[in-house]
Amino acid sequence: MGGVRVTSLRNLLPLAALLLVVLAACAPAAQEGPRVRVEQFTGQVSFYPHEPGASWRFLPDGATLDEPPLTLISQGPTLLAGEPVTGWRLVGRGLDEVSYRRYGSDGVHLVRTVRPGAVIDFDPPVQEFPSQAALRVGASWEGTTTASVTFPEAREENRRSTLQVRYRYDIVDRRPTRVPAGEFDIYVINFESETTDDEGTVVERISQTGWFEPYVGWVRHPIDHYLVGTNFAIPSDRNE
């Protein structure tokens, strides 16, 4: 099959099969047990989608469409230190990450990230998106946060670390774009961050670009994977 093709319209502009065969020759038929049932998320998603059960599938540019995808799943509401948040899981292609976000009238904030061997808490939470009214070309926001990192399996003296993070988001464009999942009118969002240790030494710099459309979600995930499908119907009138 062909590779993933991503085209900017401005410039030209695991399915698994389950088969169970039971042979019981010369024996009475057993009572039928429960059957496998697969339910698709059928509800509508919100401006910043986070409805429980909604999922998105991504592949990097150049991948074939039959390759295992990177899957983003909304695990729904939960409590974190008594605060209502939404749990997320990003899994596949070597990744397995759980994160917790707060959704409100002031936008979307990242509270915690859990990776294999590490738990990262952000104080204050990282603002990933502004209020709905503020999502427009030219908008920017920035902040600083303390990232408290816990390594549960490490020795006691090495179990905790504190880092300082400065970050900035800029919405630099809005344009029609085509990816394997369809045609979208996306916001181009640039993200930059700088992380320093307790001595002020820069330990990491990150620069990423994501494509986002309201009522859809990430069309290009910031880790450079493109949307190939969702388990919900994308409304055709979302931009009207």
mmCIF file of all heavy atoms in Angstrom, residues 129-151:
data_model
loop_
_atom_site.group_PDB
_atom_site.id
_atom_site.type_symbol
_atom_site.label_atom_id
_atom_site.label_comp_id
_atom_site.label_asym_id
_atom_site.label_seq_id
_atom_site.Cartn_x
_atom_site.Cartn_y
_atom_site.Cartn_z
ATOM 1 N N PHE A 129 -3.678 24.947 25.455
ATOM 2 C CA PHE A 129 -4.594 25.672 24.567
ATOM 3 C C PHE A 129 -5.224 26.814 25.349
ATOM 4 O O PHE A 129 -5.448 26.702 26.561
ATOM 5 C CB PHE A 129 -5.707 24.756 24.042
ATOM 6 C CG PHE A 129 -5.248 23.762 23.012
ATOM 7 C CD1 PHE A 129 -4.920 22.476 23.387
ATOM 8 C CD2 PHE A 129 -5.159 24.107 21.671
ATOM 9 C CE1 PHE A 129 -4.497 21.550 22.459
ATOM 10 C CE2 PHE A 129 -4.741 23.196 20.732
ATOM 11 C CZ PHE A 129 -4.405 21.900 21.120
ATOM 12 N N PRO A 130 -5.549 27.929 24.660
ATOM 13 C CA PRO A 130 -6.212 29.050 25.322
ATOM 14 C C PRO A 130 -7.721 28.810 25.372
ATOM 15 O O PRO A 130 -8.210 27.741 24.986
ATOM 16 C CB PRO A 130 -5.861 30.221 24.400
ATOM 17 C CG PRO A 130 -5.855 29.591 23.035
ATOM 18 C CD PRO A 130 -5.282 28.204 23.225
ATOM 19 N N SER A 131 -8.460 29.797 25.821
ATOM 20 C CA SER A 131 -9.916 29.709 25.762
ATOM 21 C C SER A 131 -10.355 29.576 24.300
ATOM 22 O O SER A 131 -9.607 29.913 23.377
ATOM 23 C CB SER A 131 -10.551 30.955 26.379
ATOM 24 O OG SER A 131 -10.263 32.097 25.575
ATOM 25 N N GLN A 132 -11.558 29.095 24.089
ATOM 26 C CA GLN A 132 -12.035 28.909 22.721
ATOM 27 C C GLN A 132 -11.999 30.220 21.934
ATOM 28 O O GLN A 132 -11.598 30.247 20.765
ATOM 29 C CB GLN A 132 -13.459 28.347 22.734
ATOM 30 C CG GLN A 132 -13.566 26.954 23.321
ATOM 31 C CD GLN A 132 -14.976 26.397 23.249
ATOM 32 O OE1 GLN A 132 -15.788 26.840 22.432
ATOM 33 N NE2 GLN A 132 -15.274 25.440 24.096
ATOM 34 N N ALA A 133 -12.419 31.310 22.569
ATOM 35 C CA ALA A 133 -12.473 32.597 21.880
ATOM 36 C C ALA A 133 -11.092 33.098 21.493
ATOM 37 O O ALA A 133 -10.948 33.884 20.554
ATOM 38 C CB ALA A 133 -13.175 33.631 22.761
ATOM 39 N N ALA A 134 -10.048 32.642 22.198
ATOM 40 C CA ALA A 134 -8.686 33.125 21.941
ATOM 41 C C ALA A 134 -7.948 32.299 20.905
ATOM 42 O O ALA A 134 -6.817 32.645 20.541
ATOM 43 C CB ALA A 134 -7.898 33.150 23.240
ATOM 44 N N LEU A 135 -8.556 31.225 20.425
ATOM 45 C CA LEU A 135 -7.879 30.383 19.434
ATOM 46 C C LEU A 135 -8.019 31.038 18.059
ATOM 47 O O LEU A 135 -9.041 30.906 17.379
ATOM 48 C CB LEU A 135 -8.484 28.977 19.423
ATOM 49 C CG LEU A 135 -7.696 27.953 18.592
ATOM 50 C CD1 LEU A 135 -6.434 27.529 19.332
ATOM 51 C CD2 LEU A 135 -8.543 26.725 18.276
ATOM 52 N N ARG A 136 -6.987 31.738 17.636
ATOM 53 C CA ARG A 136 -7.008 32.458 16.357
ATOM 54 C C ARG A 136 -5.568 32.695 15.912
ATOM 55 O O ARG A 136 -4.627 32.652 16.718
ATOM 56 C CB ARG A 136 -7.739 33.784 16.484
ATOM 57 C CG ARG A 136 -7.122 34.724 17.508
ATOM 58 C CD ARG A 136 -7.914 36.010 17.636
ATOM 59 N NE ARG A 136 -7.318 36.916 18.605
ATOM 60 C CZ ARG A 136 -7.588 36.900 19.889
ATOM 61 N NH1 ARG A 136 -8.459 36.034 20.380
ATOM 62 N NH2 ARG A 136 -7.002 37.766 20.691
ATOM 63 N N VAL A 137 -5.406 32.958 14.626
ATOM 64 C CA VAL A 137 -4.079 33.246 14.092
ATOM 65 C C VAL A 137 -3.527 34.503 14.749
ATOM 66 O O VAL A 137 -4.223 35.514 14.879
ATOM 67 C CB VAL A 137 -4.143 33.414 12.562
ATOM 68 C CG1 VAL A 137 -2.772 33.816 12.014
ATOM 69 C CG2 VAL A 137 -4.606 32.126 11.908
ATOM 70 N N GLY A 138 -2.283 34.445 15.157
ATOM 71 C CA GLY A 138 -1.643 35.559 15.837
ATOM 72 C C GLY A 138 -1.639 35.432 17.346
ATOM 73 O O GLY A 138 -0.890 36.151 18.017
ATOM 74 N N ALA A 139 -2.457 34.530 17.872
ATOM 75 C CA ALA A 139 -2.494 34.344 19.322
ATOM 76 C C ALA A 139 -1.209 33.678 19.799
ATOM 77 O O ALA A 139 -0.617 32.853 19.095
ATOM 78 C CB ALA A 139 -3.700 33.499 19.712
ATOM 79 N N SER A 140 -0.774 34.033 20.987
ATOM 80 C CA SER A 140 0.387 33.395 21.593
ATOM 81 C C SER A 140 0.209 33.411 23.101
ATOM 82 O O SER A 140 -0.474 34.280 23.654
ATOM 83 C CB SER A 140 1.687 34.095 21.196
ATOM 84 O OG SER A 140 1.713 35.426 21.680
ATOM 85 N N TRP A 141 0.805 32.464 23.759
ATOM 86 C CA TRP A 141 0.788 32.415 25.210
ATOM 87 C C TRP A 141 2.044 31.691 25.679
ATOM 88 O O TRP A 141 2.616 30.882 24.972
ATOM 89 C CB TRP A 141 -0.476 31.756 25.749
ATOM 90 C CG TRP A 141 -0.682 30.326 25.324
ATOM 91 C CD1 TRP A 141 -0.399 29.203 26.042
ATOM 92 C CD2 TRP A 141 -1.230 29.869 24.075
ATOM 93 N NE1 TRP A 141 -0.723 28.068 25.331
ATOM 94 C CE2 TRP A 141 -1.241 28.448 24.121
ATOM 95 C CE3 TRP A 141 -1.715 30.514 22.933
ATOM 96 C CZ2 TRP A 141 -1.704 27.668 23.062
ATOM 97 C CZ3 TRP A 141 -2.170 29.737 21.879
ATOM 98 C CH2 TRP A 141 -2.177 28.342 21.947
ATOM 99 N N GLU A 142 2.466 32.012 26.868
ATOM 100 C CA GLU A 142 3.687 31.431 27.387
ATOM 101 C C GLU A 142 3.606 31.309 28.892
ATOM 102 O O GLU A 142 2.689 31.868 29.525
ATOM 103 C CB GLU A 142 4.895 32.277 26.994
ATOM 104 C CG GLU A 142 4.833 33.710 27.488
ATOM 105 C CD GLU A 142 5.958 34.547 26.913
ATOM 106 O OE1 GLU A 142 6.930 33.977 26.393
ATOM 107 O OE2 GLU A 142 5.868 35.784 26.988
ATOM 108 N N GLY A 143 4.541 30.580 29.464
ATOM 109 C CA GLY A 143 4.525 30.416 30.903
ATOM 110 C C GLY A 143 5.759 29.708 31.400
ATOM 111 O O GLY A 143 6.619 29.275 30.627
ATOM 112 N N THR A 144 5.852 29.606 32.707
ATOM 113 C CA THR A 144 6.910 28.846 33.352
ATOM 114 C C THR A 144 6.258 27.871 34.320
ATOM 115 O O THR A 144 5.186 28.156 34.880
ATOM 116 C CB THR A 144 7.879 29.756 34.116
ATOM 117 O OG1 THR A 144 7.145 30.487 35.112
ATOM 118 C CG2 THR A 144 8.569 30.721 33.178
ATOM 119 N N THR A 145 6.888 26.742 34.510
ATOM 120 C CA THR A 145 6.358 25.744 35.422
ATOM 121 C C THR A 145 7.501 24.962 36.050
ATOM 122 O O THR A 145 8.596 24.878 35.474
ATOM 123 C CB THR A 145 5.404 24.777 34.684
ATOM 124 O OG1 THR A 145 4.818 23.866 35.621
ATOM 125 C CG2 THR A 145 6.140 23.976 33.621
ATOM 126 N N THR A 146 7.230 24.412 37.203
ATOM 127 C CA THR A 146 8.172 23.504 37.856
ATOM 128 C C THR A 146 7.746 22.073 37.555
ATOM 129 O O THR A 146 6.608 21.692 37.847
ATOM 130 C CB THR A 146 8.208 23.729 39.372
ATOM 131 O OG1 THR A 146 8.650 25.063 39.640
ATOM 132 C CG2 THR A 146 9.147 22.741 40.040
ATOM 133 N N ALA A 147 8.647 21.317 36.958
ATOM 134 C CA ALA A 147 8.373 19.919 36.651
ATOM 135 C C ALA A 147 9.021 19.057 37.736
ATOM 136 O O ALA A 147 10.247 18.981 37.835
ATOM 137 C CB ALA A 147 8.925 19.555 35.276
ATOM 138 N N SER A 148 8.173 18.442 38.550
ATOM 139 C CA SER A 148 8.658 17.562 39.612
ATOM 140 C C SER A 148 8.645 16.137 39.089
ATOM 141 O O SER A 148 7.575 15.580 38.811
ATOM 142 C CB SER A 148 7.785 17.686 40.856
ATOM 143 O OG SER A 148 7.814 19.008 41.366
ATOM 144 N N VAL A 149 9.817 15.551 38.926
ATOM 145 C CA VAL A 149 9.949 14.235 38.318
ATOM 146 C C VAL A 149 10.212 13.202 39.412
ATOM 147 O O VAL A 149 11.112 13.371 40.249
ATOM 148 C CB VAL A 149 11.103 14.210 37.298
ATOM 149 C CG1 VAL A 149 11.114 12.872 36.551
ATOM 150 C CG2 VAL A 149 10.981 15.377 36.321
ATOM 151 N N THR A 150 9.419 12.133 39.403
ATOM 152 C CA THR A 150 9.588 11.040 40.353
ATOM 153 C C THR A 150 9.936 9.771 39.591
ATOM 154 O O THR A 150 9.273 9.433 38.604
ATOM 155 C CB THR A 150 8.306 10.812 41.171
ATOM 156 O OG1 THR A 150 7.949 12.024 41.842
ATOM 157 C CG2 THR A 150 8.500 9.702 42.197
ATOM 158 N N PHE A 151 10.983 9.095 40.034
ATOM 159 C CA PHE A 151 11.388 7.807 39.458
ATOM 160 C C PHE A 151 11.079 6.719 40.494
ATOM 161 O O PHE A 151 11.897 6.450 41.385
ATOM 162 C CB PHE A 151 12.877 7.813 39.117
ATOM 163 C CG PHE A 151 13.294 8.949 38.218
ATOM 164 C CD1 PHE A 151 13.861 10.104 38.754
ATOM 165 C CD2 PHE A 151 13.110 8.866 36.854
ATOM 166 C CE1 PHE A 151 14.238 11.157 37.926
ATOM 167 C CE2 PHE A 151 13.484 9.916 36.013
ATOM 168 C CZ PHE A 151 14.045 11.061 36.547
#
